[in-house]
Amino acid sequence: MNRNVNLLEGKIFPALTSLALPIMLTSLVQMAYNLTDMIWIGRLSAGAVAAVGASGMFSWLSLGLGIVASMGGQILVAQNLGAGDQEEAVSYARLSIQMGVCLSVLFGLFCVLLNRPLIGFFRLNSASVVSDARIYLVITCGLVIFPIMNQILTRLFTAMGNSRTPFLANTAGMVLNILLDPLLIFGLGPIPAMGVAGAAAATVGSQAFVFLLFFLSVRREPVIFSHIHLFKKPDARRIRAIVRIGLPSSLQNMAFSAISMCIARMIASWGDAAVAVQKVGSQIESISWMTAEGFSAAVNAFVAQNFGAGNHSRIRQGYRISMTVIILWGLFCNLVLFALPGPIFRFFIPDAKVLPMGIQYLKILSLSQLFMCVEITTAGAFSGLGKTLPPSLIGILFTSARIPAAMILTRTSLGLDGIWWSITVSSIFKGTLLFVWFLLSGLPRPGKEPLAGR
C-alpha cells in the first residue's frame, strides 16, 4: 500500500494536513519521551532533574549536528522527487545516511572521552548531581547514533510524503519508554533500581527499538530505500550540496544549544532547583514548539516538492494555509500556559519550594509561544526552497542576544525572571522578523528556478 501523500496535485489543505498530522503527532510522541523521563525522574529529586537537564544539553547538541545530514538530505530528496529525478533523490538519501553514521560515531566518542569537563562546564553544586549527569551523558550520547539515524530516516520518509511510518515507529518507541522508565529507574523484583542511569538506559533502549522498526520499514520501501547502496563511494558534488543546505540550520541549532548551555550555567547560580525549573519548564513548553517543528517539516516537504516541480502558486497557497493553522495553535498554547501554570508544573515537580519559580517560568514564556510557532513554520518554508540562511541568521543573532540581555536583566529587580524575559523577548523578535522577511523576499518568483543541488 502506498503511504506517500501526493503533495503536487489536488487540494492543498487535505494534502498538507495529511502529511502534517502524523508529523505533529510524532513530535508530540518525542515530547512524551522527554516528559515521561521528567515525570519519573522528578519523583527521585530536583537534583536528578538537574543532572538530566545538564547532560541532556549535549543530546540536543548532537541532534543539531545531525541536521547537516538530515535537513540537507530531506530538502534535496524532496526537490528531486518533485522534479521527477528519482536517481538523484536516491543518491542524496544515501549520502545523508552515510554522513549521519560518521557524525554520530565521532560525537559519541567525543562525549564519552570528555564527559568530565563537559559536565564540569555547568558548575553544578552537588557531587551526586555531577556524577548522575556524567552517567547520563555517557549512556545517551555514547549511543547517539540511534536518535541521529532516526532523525534522518524520519526526514527522508517525510520528503517522500510518508509521515505515517515515522509516526508509528516513534509511537512504538514511546510505549516501550513508558514501560522501561519506572522499571529501570526504581527497579522491580530482580531488576535493581538504577536511578538516573536507568532513565538513560530506557531512553537509549527505546531509541534503538525505533531504529529497528525503521530498518524493517526501509526494506519494503520501493521509491528510495530499496535502491540505496550504502557502501557506494560518496560523491563530492552532492556532499557539498547537502552541507551547503544543511550547515546553516545545523549551526543555528548547535548555536541554540551552546547558548542554552551558557544560560543554564547562569541559572545554576540560583541553585540546582532553578536548573530543574528550566529543564521541566522547557519540556512543558515543548508542546508548542515541537508541534510547530512537526508542522514545519510538513511545510518543508510540501514546499520542496512543489519547488522542484515549479508549482510556485501552490507554494504561496500552502504557506498561507500553514500560517493560519499554526497561528491558531500558538494562540492556544499562549492561553493554556498563562492560565494554568500551577497545575501543569505541579504535575512534574510537586515540591512547594520549586513551584513558584516554575509558575513564573511558564507565565513569562507563554507570551512567546505564538511568535515561536510562526518562526519555526516560516523556517520550514524557507528551507523547502533551499534557503536555509535567512532563518539561521535571524536565529543565531537574536538567540545570541539572550546572553547579554539575561546578564543585564538579572542584575535588576527581576533576578532569575530576567533570564526568562530575555528568552521571551528574543522569540518575539525572531518570529516577527522572519515572517516579514519571507513575505518580502522568500516567496519564489514566477518561472523555473534551479534546484538547490544543481
Side-chain angles (χ1 to χ4, degrees), residues 161-393:
N162 179 355
S163 54
R164 184 181 175 190
T165 296
F167 167 66
L168 294 175
N170 282 284
T171 299
M174 179 199 66
V175 172
L176 180 61
N177 192 52
I178 289 173
L179 296 174
L180 289 179
D181 254 336
L183 184 64
L184 298 182
I185 291 174
F186 299 104
L188 180 66
I191 301 176
M194 298 170 63
V196 169
T203 296
V204 170
S206 302
Q207 291 166 343
F209 181 63
V210 171
F211 177 75
L212 174 62
L213 295 179
F214 269 126
F215 178 76
L216 296 175
S217 296
V218 301
R219 297 180 63 186
R220 301 190 298 269
E221 194 282 316
V223 177
I224 294 292
F225 294 105
S226 60
H227 304 285
I228 290 178
H229 303 288
L230 286 179
F231 297 102
K232 188 174 181 179
K233 184 179 178 180
D235 176 78
R237 176 184 67 83
R238 295 189 180 98
I239 290 176
R240 286 194 297 270
I242 288 179
V243 172
R244 185 170 66 250
I245 292 177
L247 186 59
S249 296
S250 177
L251 291 176
Q252 178 190 0
N253 195 284
M254 289 191 292
F256 193 90
S257 301
I259 292 164
S260 297
M261 290 179 188
C262 294
I263 290 177
R265 182 172 176 174
M266 295 172 63
I267 294 170
S269 63
W270 271 270
D272 292 339
V275 177
V277 164
Q278 192 273 337
K279 176 60 178 177
V280 171
S282 64
Q283 294 300 329
I284 295 171
E285 184 196 5
S286 68
I287 192 171
S288 59
W289 63 260
M290 291 193 76
T291 303
E293 284 192 342
F295 205 83
S296 176
V299 172
N300 183 309
F302 176 87
V303 170
Q305 282 201 21
N306 282 281
F307 182 70
N311 297 333
H312 295 166
S313 62
R314 190 173 174 86
I315 291 174
R316 289 190 288 272
Q317 294 174 44
Y319 180 71
R320 285 196 295 268
I321 292 171
S322 302
M323 291 310 299
T324 300
V325 173
I326 209 65
I327 285 173
L328 292 174
W329 174 251
L331 289 172
F332 172 76
C333 292
N334 277 18
L335 178 62
V336 170
L337 293 183
F338 187 82
L340 302 170
I344 294 173
F345 196 89
R346 189 181 293 112
F347 183 74
F348 296 93
I349 299 183
D351 190 334
K353 295 180 180 179
V354 178
L355 186 59
M357 286 191 292
I359 290 174
Q360 281 295 97
Y361 178 97
L362 293 182
K363 278 192 171 183
I364 295 170
L365 269 292
S366 70
L367 304 177
S368 68
Q369 301 308 298
L370 169 61
F371 300 93
M372 181 171 56
C373 290
V374 169
E375 177 205 353
I376 291 170
T377 304
T378 303
F382 262 119
S383 299
L385 299 172
K387 301 176 181 179
T388 53
L389 191 57
S392 299
L393 284 175

Side-chain angles (χ1 to χ4, degrees), residues 55-114:
S55 55
M57 293 285 184
F58 294 100
S59 298
W60 192 359
L61 187 64
S62 72
L63 293 179
L65 182 64
I67 285 177
V68 173
S70 65
M71 178 67 79
Q74 177 183 356
I75 293 168
L76 289 165
V77 167
Q79 287 189 355
N80 282 282
L81 286 177
D85 193 340
Q86 183 184 18
E87 182 178 352
E88 194 77 356
V90 169
S91 297
Y92 282 119
R94 182 187 69 251
L95 278 173
S96 179
I97 293 172
Q98 290 173 333
M99 291 173 65
V101 171
C102 293
L103 291 172
S104 59
V105 170
L106 291 174
F107 189 85
L109 288 173
F110 171 77
C111 288
V112 169
L113 296 176
L114 298 176

